[in-house]
C-alpha cells in the first residue's frame, strides 16, 4: 500500500517537473525569440528531469529526422512517460504542447502556453488532493497488513 502512496507522490513530482519545464521554455521563447531548435538546445540542461529528457529527445529527433514536431512530440511523450504513474489526462495535456509549439505565431503560442499551464495546475492540484485523501488511507492499510503478518509469524 505504501507503493500506491509513492505512485501518487511520483505523479505530483512528474507533473510539477513538466510544469517547470513549460515555464522555462515559455520564458526562453519570450525572451530570446530565436528559432525553436535553438531554444530547445538552451533548455535541455537538466538531465535528471523527465521533462527535460523529453525536450532533449524531441530536439534530437528534430535534427535527425526532420519530421513534423506534432508527431515527434506525441511519440516522445509516450516513450518518456511510459511506465510512469501518470493518468491518461496528464498525458493528453503533455501531448497538447506538440499541437502548437513552433506551429503558431508568437502571440498565439503564448496563449497556448497559458492554457497549458492552467490545465497542468488543475492536474497538479487534483493529484495533491488525491494524495491528501488517499495517502493516509494507504499508510493505515500498510500498517494493518504489517500487523497481521507480524501476528501470523508469532
Amino acid at each position: 500500500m505504501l507503493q500506491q502512496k509513492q505512485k501518487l507522490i511520483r505523479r505530483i513530482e512528474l507533473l510539477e517537473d513538466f510544469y517547470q519545464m513549460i515555464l522555462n521554455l515559455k520564458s526562453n521563447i519570450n525572451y530570446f525569440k530565436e528559432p525553436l531548435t535553438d531554444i530547445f538546445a538552451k533548455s535541455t540542461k537538466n538531465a535528471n528531469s523527465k521533462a527535460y529528457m523529453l525536450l532533449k529527445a524531441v530536439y534530437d529527433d528534430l535534427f535527425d529526422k526532420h519530421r513534423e514536431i506534432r508527431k515527434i512530440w506525441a511519440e516522445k511523450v509516450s516513450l518518456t512517460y511510459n511506465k510512469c504513474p501518470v493518468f491518461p489526462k496528464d498525458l493528453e495535456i503533455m501531448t497538447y504542447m506538440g499541437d502548437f509549439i513552433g506551429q503558431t505565431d508568437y502571440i498565439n503560442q503564448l496563449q497556448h502556453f497559458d492554457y497549458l499551464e492552467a490545465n497542468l495546475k488543475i492536474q497538479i492540484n487534483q493529484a495533491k488532493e488525491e494524495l491528501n485523501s488517499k495517502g493516509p488511507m494507504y499508510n493505515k492499510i500498510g500498517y494493518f497488513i504489517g500487523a497481521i503478518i507480524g501476528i501470523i509469524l508469532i
Side-chain angles (χ1 to χ4, degrees):
M1 288 301 132
L2 291 176
Q3 287 179 339
Q4 293 299 328
K5 183 178 178 183
Q6 292 304 319
K7 285 181 183 179
L8 295 174
I9 292 170
R10 182 67 179 143
R11 177 179 176 229
I12 293 169
E13 290 170 351
L14 291 169
L15 289 170
E16 288 177 338
D17 175 50
F18 191 84
Y19 182 77
Q20 289 304 314
M21 184 269 295
I22 293 299
L23 293 178
N24 182 318
L25 193 60
K26 178 183 173 184
S27 66
N28 284 343
I29 288 171
N30 194 20
Y31 180 74
F32 294 114
K33 295 183 175 90
E34 294 177 342
L36 193 57
T37 51
D38 294 346
I39 300 290
F40 278 17
K42 290 177 182 175
S43 301
T44 57
K45 306 291 186 226
N46 190 346
N48 296 329
S49 160
K50 281 271 191 194
Y52 286 96
M53 289 170 48
L54 164 67
L55 205 55
K56 179 160 178 22
V58 170
Y59 171 74
D60 291 344
D61 262 19
L62 279 174
F63 266 120
D64 294 344
K65 299 181 182 169
H66 301 290
R67 294 185 330 180
E68 190 177 320
I69 192 167
R70 176 180 293 152
K71 292 177 183 175
I72 293 171
W73 192 270
E75 174 186 310
K76 296 305 176 184
V77 165
S78 179
L79 289 172
T80 303
Y81 292 96
N82 184 27
K83 297 183 182 178
C84 289
V86 291
F87 291 0
K89 180 69 175 172
D90 302 338
L91 291 174
E92 180 183 319
I93 292 169
M94 291 173 180
T95 304
Y96 172 74
M97 190 165 151
D99 292 342
F100 71 87
I101 188 109
Q103 299 183 35
T104 60
D105 62 70
Y106 170 73
I107 299 297
N108 196 14
Q109 195 161 262
L110 291 179
Q111 291 172 344
H112 282 285
F113 270 114
D114 291 341
Y115 174 78
L116 180 62
E117 287 175 42
N119 281 304
L120 276 169
K121 283 181 185 177
I122 290 168
Q123 290 302 107
I124 291 168
N125 288 336
Q126 287 176 348
K128 286 179 178 179
E129 287 173 15
E130 185 175 5
L131 176 63
N132 289 336
S133 66
K134 292 183 180 179
M137 176 188 68
Y138 288 139
N139 282 341
K140 290 175 185 173
I141 291 172
Y143 293 133
F144 182 72
I145 291 173
I148 290 174
I149 291 172
I151 290 171
I152 292 172
L153 292 176
I154 293 179

